[in-house]
Amino acid sequence: MEINFTGRTKVVAYADDLLVATKGDSVRAVENYANVELGKIDGWSRRNKIKFNDKKSKVMLVTRRKRREDKRITLYLHYKPLEQVTQMKYLGIILDQKFRFQEHIKCVAERCAKLVHTLSRAAKLSWGIRGEAISTIYKGAILPLHMVPRYG
């Protein structure tokens, strides 16, 4: 993308996923800055004949402030308001509005438990699949579930 975003905005694009993060001193400031940036993205997409799906696009306000202010935020894409959520999945990781990752950890733990249960049923002491096969399944199916990519 050849868009000049302000210093308040970071954009991460991966394949067909786009994450736009904008910071500000208040919820209203973030709302205003983000709408300006989304306007730039909308203009770019029209010029390049690309349409972002406003039904799949979500808004999540990330804040750790305890201050009592209205946390509702209205952002627009293609002149349509986007749905505000308290958590979203991005590149396989469930993000929440306080970056605590509790829901992500819970989902990964449940998936691991199901796989371990299935693996243990298949690997009985006197019959079933061999130890090497169990090790291969464990390394290929369970270990990757709890591996979170580390950046920088």
Side-chain angles (χ1 to χ4, degrees), residues 58-61 71-74 82-86:
K58 307 290 183 216
V59 174
M60 184 172 71
L61 181 68
K71 301 276 195 297
R72 287 176 294 171
I73 187 167
T74 306
L82 301 176
E83 177 187 0
Q84 185 172 358
V85 296
T86 57

Side-chain angles (χ1 to χ4, degrees), residues 7 10-11 13 23 36 48 54-56 62 65 71 85 90 103 114 121 138 141 147 149 151:
K10 298 288 181 204
V11 177
K23 63 182 176 180
V36 168
N48 290 280
D54 51 80
K55 301 275 189 271
K56 286 186 174 181
V62 177
R65 288 185 179 188
K71 301 276 195 297
V85 296
Y90 182 70
E103 191 63 30
K114 285 179 187 175
R121 281 193 335 219
Y138 175 78
M147 302 280 231
Y151 300 102

Side-chain angles (χ1 to χ4, degrees), residues 10-54:
K10 298 288 181 204
V11 177
V12 179
Y14 183 81
D16 65 344
D17 287 320
L18 184 68
L19 179 77
V20 180
T22 303
K23 63 182 176 180
D25 296 327
S26 69
V27 173
R28 290 310 127 229
V30 168
E31 183 177 62
N32 291 333
Y33 296 137
N35 273 314
V36 168
E37 304 295 35
L38 284 173
K40 293 175 186 177
I41 291 170
D42 192 38
W44 177 90
S45 69
R46 289 174 195 268
R47 286 189 303 277
N48 290 280
K49 296 179 177 53
I50 296 172
K51 181 146 170 97
F52 291 102
N53 188 340
D54 51 80

Side-chain angles (χ1 to χ4, degrees), residues 76-134:
Y76 297 90
L77 185 61
H78 311 309
Y79 306 104
K80 295 177 186 166
L82 301 176
E83 177 187 0
Q84 185 172 358
V85 296
T86 57
Q87 65 183 25
M88 67 173 60
K89 196 172 201 177
Y90 182 70
L91 300 179
I93 298 175
I94 300 171
L95 304 171
D96 64 84
Q97 61 188 7
K98 297 204 182 282
F99 280 176
R100 291 188 179 144
F101 299 99
Q102 291 171 333
E103 191 63 30
H104 181 74
I105 292 166
K106 179 181 158 193
C107 286
V108 170
E110 287 172 3
R111 286 171 52 200
C112 284
K114 285 179 187 175
L115 283 169
V116 166
H117 177 69
T118 302
L119 188 58
S120 68
R121 281 193 335 219
K124 300 296 180 189
L125 291 177
S126 60
W127 59 274
I129 58 179
R130 294 192 340 251
E132 302 88 46
I134 293 170

Side-chain angles (χ1 to χ4, degrees), residues 119 131-147:
L119 188 58
E132 302 88 46
I134 293 170
S135 177
T136 301
I137 293 169
Y138 175 78
K139 289 175 185 172
I142 296 171
L143 281 181
L145 289 176
H146 78 278
M147 302 280 231

